[in-house]
C-alpha cells in the first residue's frame, strides 16, 4: 500500500471564501493530508468517482458537472447539465457508469442522468418528485426531502432515502429505457427521519441511519424469486451515548475498506462512533464513541489502510485526521486539522 498513490477530493460551499473542490494528496501510511490545488465549481455538496476511475462528478448550482481525472489526480472540466430541479445533495452511480443518480433535498426529486462513454453527462433520462406530508412538526421533517440514493448491490433497484416521509422509496431500474419505476417502500418508524443507507461489501446487509431517533437499523437484504427486494430487520442499535446530556443527531456513515467497521458521525455531540461488523450475521457492536474536537461533522472518509479516517467539520471549517486503535477501542487526532471553508463531502481516490 505504501507504493499506492491517493488523492482526496473535498467539496465545499462557495458563498464565502472557498471556491470549489479542494484536492489533497493523501499519505495513507502516515495519516497526512497535503492540499495541492482547488478547482472552481459552485457549491459542491457531493462528489463521486466513476467505477472506471477516469471521471469525477460533482453537484453544482447549475445541476451536475463532470470532470476528467488526470494522471496526477487533477481535474479537467468536461461539461455540466441541469438535473430538472433544484440543487441536489447526494450522488450515486451504477456499477457500469451508465447513469448518475441525484438526490434532491430541497425539492425531493430523484434524478436519473444519462452518461456518455467519454464521461460527459448526456442529460436527463428520468426524474421523480416525492410527494406527501411527514408527521413531524419541525418544518424540515414535515415534507419530503431526499437525502441519499443508493443502487442495490444486485444493480436492480435504487433506494431513495426520504427523511421527511420517514421511508425509503425503492425504484426498479430500467437501464435500457432510462427509467425509474416505482416498485416498493421500506417504511421506517414515524418521526425517525432516515438519512443515509449503506450496503455491506458482500451485498447481504443494509444499514439505515435515522437522524431523529438516533438509531441504525440493520437489514438482511435479498431478492425474492418474484424479483422483489426484501429487507428483513435483524437489529436496531442506538447511536446515543447514555453519558451525554446533549441532543444527538446522526449525520452520515461509511465502511472501512475491508467492511469490518462502520463509522458514524454525530453532529449533535460532535462525535464519531465506530461499530465492529459481524461479517457473518451483519450485526453491529459499538467499539468506541469519541468527540472529534470539531463542529458539525458532515462527512467522513476512512483511509484505505483502515487505520486512519478524516472527518469534515462543516461549521468550524476544518478537516480532522484521526488514527484508530481497534484493539484499544479508541481513536486520537493525528496532527493539526486542515483548514478549509465549509467542507461538505469527500472522496478518496486511488491514482492509476
Amino acid at each position: 500500500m505504501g507504493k499506492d498513490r491517493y488523492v482526496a477530493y473535498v467539496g465545499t460551499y462557495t458563498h464565502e471564501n472557498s471556491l470549489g473542490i479542494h484536492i489533497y494528496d493523501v499519505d495513507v501510511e502516515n495519516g497526512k493530508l497535503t492540499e495541492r490545488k482547488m478547482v472552481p465549481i459552485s457549491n459542491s455538496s457531493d462528489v463521486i468517482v466513476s467505477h472506471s476511475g477516469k471521471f469525477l462528478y460533482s453537484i453544482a448550482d447549475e445541476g451536475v458537472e463532470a470532470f476528467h481525472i488526470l494522471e496526477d489526480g487533477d481535474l479537467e472540466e468536461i461539461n455540466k447539465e441541469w438535473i430538472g430541479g433544484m440543487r441536489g445533495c447526494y450522488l450515486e452511480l451504477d456499477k457500469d457508469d451508465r447513469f448518475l443518480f441525484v438526490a434532491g433535498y430541497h425539492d425531493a426529486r430523484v434524478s436519473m442522468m444519462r452518461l456518455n462513454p467519454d464521461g460527459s453527462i448526456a442529460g436527463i433520462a428520468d426524474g421523480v418528485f416525492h410527494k406527501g406530508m411527514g408527521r413531524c412538526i419541525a418544518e424540515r421533517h414535515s415534507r419530503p426531502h431526499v437525502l441519499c440514493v443508493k443502487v442495490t448491490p444486485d444493480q436492480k433497484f435504487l433506494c431513495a432515502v426520504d427523511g421527511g416521509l420517514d421511508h425509503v422509496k425503492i425504484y426498479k431500474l430500467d437501464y435500457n429505457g432510462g427509467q425509474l419505476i416505482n416498485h416498493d417502500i421500506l417504511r421506517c418508524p414515524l418521526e425517525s427521519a432516515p438519512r443515509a443507507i449503506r450496503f455491506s461489501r458482500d451485498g447481504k446487509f443494509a444499514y439505515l441511519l435515522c437522524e431523529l431517533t438516533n438509531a441504525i437499523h440493520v437489514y438482511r437484504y435479498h431478492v425474492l424469486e418474484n424479483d422483489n427486494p426484501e429487507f428483513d430487520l435483524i437489529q436496531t442499535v442506538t447511536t446515543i451515548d447514555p453519558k451525554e446530556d446533549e441532543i444527538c443527531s446522526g449525520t452520515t456513515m461509511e465502511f472501512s475498506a475491508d467492511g469490518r467497521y462502520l463509522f458514524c458521525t454525530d453532529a449533535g455531540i460532535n462525535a464519531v462512533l465506530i461499530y465492529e461488523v459481524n461479517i457473518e450475521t451483519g450485526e453491529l457492536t459499538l467499539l468506541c464513541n469519541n468527540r472529534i474536537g470539531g463542529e458539525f461533522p458532515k462527512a467522513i472518509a476512512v483511509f484505505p489502510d483502515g487505520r486512519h479516517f478524516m472527518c469534515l467539520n462543516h461549521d468550524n471549517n476544518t478537516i480532522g485526521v484521526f488514527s484508530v486503535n481497534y484493539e484499544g477501542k479508541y481513536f486520537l487526532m493525528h496532527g493539526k486539522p486542515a483548514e478549509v471553508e465549509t467542507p461538505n463531502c469527500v472522496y478518496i481516490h486511488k491514482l492509476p
Side-chain angles (χ1 to χ4, degrees):
M1 183 172 290
K3 296 180 181 180
D4 294 331
R5 296 184 305 152
Y6 295 88
V7 293
Y9 300 108
V10 175
T12 65
Y13 283 150
T14 54
H15 57 274
E16 295 184 1
N17 297 321
S18 181
L19 299 174
I21 298 172
H22 294 249
I23 303 176
Y24 294 83
D25 289 311
V26 181
D27 182 343
V28 172
E29 188 174 353
N30 296 304
K32 293 183 179 180
L33 301 175
T34 303
E35 185 171 3
R36 184 200 303 171
K37 67 179 299 184
M38 187 275 304
V39 177
I41 185 174
S42 59
N43 292 319
S44 173
S45 51
D46 196 28
V47 295
I48 192 170
V49 172
S50 65
H51 293 87
S52 69
K54 297 179 180 180
F55 311 108
L56 178 139
Y57 300 96
S58 174
I59 287 171
D61 282 345
E62 299 84 355
V64 284
E65 189 163 349
F67 295 88
H68 180 239
I69 299 177
L70 303 181
E71 200 169 302
D72 63 354
D74 281 0
L75 301 176
E76 182 179 74
E77 182 182 348
I78 301 175
N79 76 326
K80 62 183 70 173
E81 287 288 340
W82 182 51
I83 60 174
M86 300 173 69
R87 186 168 58 84
C89 66
Y90 196 91
L91 297 174
E92 172 70 329
L93 289 158
D94 69 281
K95 71 173 183 178
D96 294 321
D97 299 327
R98 291 168 290 181
F99 292 94
L100 176 70
F101 303 94
V102 187
Y105 173 85
H106 300 286
D107 58 3
R109 176 181 167 92
V110 180
S111 300
M112 183 178 186
M113 309 295 294
R114 198 180 300 274
L115 301 177
N116 292 317
D118 65 359
S120 62
I121 306 166
I124 301 170
D126 198 7
V128 179
F129 288 99
H130 287 192
K131 297 179 181 180
M133 294 291 292
R135 293 285 297 272
C136 186
I137 296 175
E139 189 277 334
R140 65 180 297 231
H141 296 294
S142 65
R143 56 190 178 88
H145 293 294
V146 184
L147 295 112
C148 175
V149 284
K150 278 290 179 185
V151 178
T152 55
D154 47 59
Q155 303 295 298
K156 294 182 178 181
F157 305 96
L158 182 76
C159 299
V161 180
D162 195 313
L165 299 181
D166 293 325
H167 63 223
V168 179
K169 284 198 174 184
I170 302 172
Y171 297 95
K172 190 171 185 178
L173 292 172
D174 178 358
Y175 291 104
N176 292 327
Q179 288 185 298
L180 297 165
I181 302 171
N182 195 9
H183 190 80
D184 204 350
I185 294 177
L186 175 61
R187 302 186 185 279
C188 307
L190 293 178
E191 300 185 16
S192 60
R195 187 178 178 100
I197 190 169
R198 301 290 185 267
F199 288 90
S200 60
R201 291 292 185 264
D202 59 11
K204 295 180 180 179
F205 304 101
Y207 299 81
L208 183 65
L209 173 65
C210 293
E211 180 180 4
L212 291 184
T213 52
N214 294 288
I216 300 175
H217 300 291
V218 184
Y219 301 87
R220 181 176 291 105
Y221 173 76
H222 59 282
V223 178
L224 301 176
E225 290 183 1
N226 60 4
D227 216 26
N228 282 327
E230 188 80 5
F231 290 83
D232 297 321
L233 182 64
I234 57 175
Q235 185 190 28
T236 296
V237 297
T238 182
T239 63
I240 296 176
D241 187 339
K243 302 186 296 295
E244 295 286 352
D245 295 328
E246 299 180 44
I247 297 175
C248 298
S249 179
T251 46
T252 191
M253 55 185 178
E254 299 294 346
F255 279 102
S256 59
D258 59 8
R260 301 186 66 85
Y261 299 95
L262 181 65
F263 292 67
C264 176
T265 58
D266 188 315
I269 61 174
N270 297 316
V272 167
L273 299 82
I274 303 178
Y275 295 89
E276 188 171 8
V277 182
N278 185 313
I279 300 299
E280 298 299 322
T281 68
E283 295 183 333
L284 302 175
T285 302
L286 181 64
L287 195 71
C288 62
N289 179 353
N290 292 355
R291 298 290 185 106
I292 44 87
E295 297 178 18
F296 201 96
K298 194 172 184 180
I300 192 170
V302 186
F303 282 26
D305 68 346
R307 291 286 173 176
H308 303 89
F309 69 89
M310 56 192 293
C311 186
L312 276 60
N313 303 311
H314 182 270
D315 284 5
N316 72 318
N317 307 317
T318 61
I319 302 174
V321 177
F322 300 83
S323 57
V324 185
N325 186 316
Y326 295 108
E327 296 76 19
K329 300 183 179 181
Y330 67 88
F331 60 81
L332 296 173
M333 185 174 289
H334 196 80
K336 182 181 179 181
E339 295 184 3
V340 60
E341 194 82 32
T342 55
N344 281 313
C345 56
V346 57
Y347 194 104
I348 296 178
H349 172 58
K350 181 181 178 180
L351 297 176

